[in-house]
Amino acid sequence: SYELTQPPSVSVSPGQTARITCSGDALPKKYAYWYQQKSGQAPVLVIYEDSKRPSGIPERFSGSSSGTMATLTISGAQVEDEADYYCYSTDSSGNHRGVFGTGTKVTVL
Amino acid sequence: QVQLVQSGAEVKKPGASVKVSCKASGYTFTSYAMHWVRQAPGQRLEWMGWINAGNGNTKYSQKFQGRVTITRDTSASTAYMELSSLRSEDTAVYYCARELVAIVVVPAAMDYWGQGTLVTVSS
């Protein structure tokens, strides 16, 4: 089955830049989406269609995709950005099934 | 404003079935598909399936195919997810989440999420 692979954890100091990668064979043909999930809460969409930011999401969140890797960048990370982040996409088999990445814990301290 | 309100927590015995509801408001229900996602304790998000709320077409994750059924009642603006043959590994929070884009024929992604429903499977 299709897999999206993320690093388990990323640590940054406040004000620094955090980069989270997501690797998947279908990403050259499929959009990547990014979700932020804080402890005990439902996920929140922070990036859609590789690089678009929903209204209300701070400008420090940005996304890019090249080849088989998508990247979420948090420029000038804040303490409140500490959360789990998941990439999401669909497989390229023609079945269009959704897949979440393995998840990355971002620590800001 | 868009709201997705899910049914309350459930406790089930192994082998039983559970049906979780998701009532939508604040938008035209039949214009947006609905996804179902689950998260076991301490684990990652898992995509379970999707229903086109307009025509009722569904797509399911291979992992849950045969055990999960997603339906909708357009008159009640409500989507349902039923999971059968429950086992302890199905203990998780189950979320409904609205499709990001209106009038799609295949799953894309999610924007608005319900509050989650905890399903506990225990003998």
Side-chain angles (χ1 to χ4, degrees), chain A residues 6-11 18 20-21 33-47 61 72 74 78-88 100-108, chain B residues 39-45 95 113:
Chain A
Q6 301 178 232
S9 62
V10 168
S11 293
I20 306 161
T21 58
Y33 301 79
W34 290 93
Y35 293 89
Q36 175 195 69
Q37 187 181 34
K38 297 183 178 179
S39 181
Q41 298 183 19
V44 172
L45 179 67
V46 294
I47 293 290
F61 289 90
L72 173 69
I74 311 174
Q78 306 294 307
V79 172
E80 60 263 32
D81 299 331
E82 189 162 292
D84 293 323
Y85 290 83
Y86 294 92
C87 61
Y88 168 89
F100 282 96
T102 49
T104 300
K105 170 68 178 176
V106 171
T107 303
V108 183
Chain B
Q39 188 171 39
Q43 302 301 308
R44 66 165 151 174
L45 300 169
Y95 294 100
W113 292 65

Side-chain angles (χ1 to χ4, degrees), chain B residues 26 53 74 103 108 112 120-121:
Chain B
T74 57
I103 320 292
Y112 293 92
T120 302
V121 183

Side-chain angles (χ1 to χ4, degrees), chain A residues 27-101:
Chain A
L27 290 179
K29 292 176 282 188
K30 295 289 186 175
Y31 284 127
Y33 301 79
W34 290 93
Y35 293 89
Q36 175 195 69
Q37 187 181 34
K38 297 183 178 179
S39 181
Q41 298 183 19
V44 172
L45 179 67
V46 294
I47 293 290
Y48 68 101
E49 294 178 1
D50 292 344
S51 59
K52 298 176 183 176
R53 197 173 49 248
S55 62
I57 300 301
E59 289 183 10
R60 62 181 180 271
F61 289 90
S62 63
S64 63
S65 187
S66 178
T68 59
M69 186 166 290
T71 303
L72 173 69
T73 302
I74 311 174
S75 303
Q78 306 294 307
V79 172
E80 60 263 32
D81 299 331
E82 189 162 292
D84 293 323
Y85 290 83
Y86 294 92
C87 61
Y88 168 89
S89 188
T90 53
D91 66 28
S92 61
S93 66
N95 291 314
H96 305 283
R97 294 185 173 113
V99 179
F100 282 96

Side-chain angles (χ1 to χ4, degrees), chain B residues 62-97:
Chain B
Q62 281 188 306
K63 177 175 178 176
F64 301 102
Q65 191 92 37
R67 278 209 306 145
V68 68
T69 304
I70 299 174
T71 56
R72 94 288 190 221
D73 179 347
T74 57
S75 66
S77 298
T78 300
Y80 302 91
M81 186 284 301
E82 184 169 20
L83 188 63
S84 62
S85 302
L86 290 169
R87 34 204 188 236
S88 58
E89 309 89 87
D90 295 317
T91 294
V93 175
Y94 290 77
Y95 294 100
C96 61

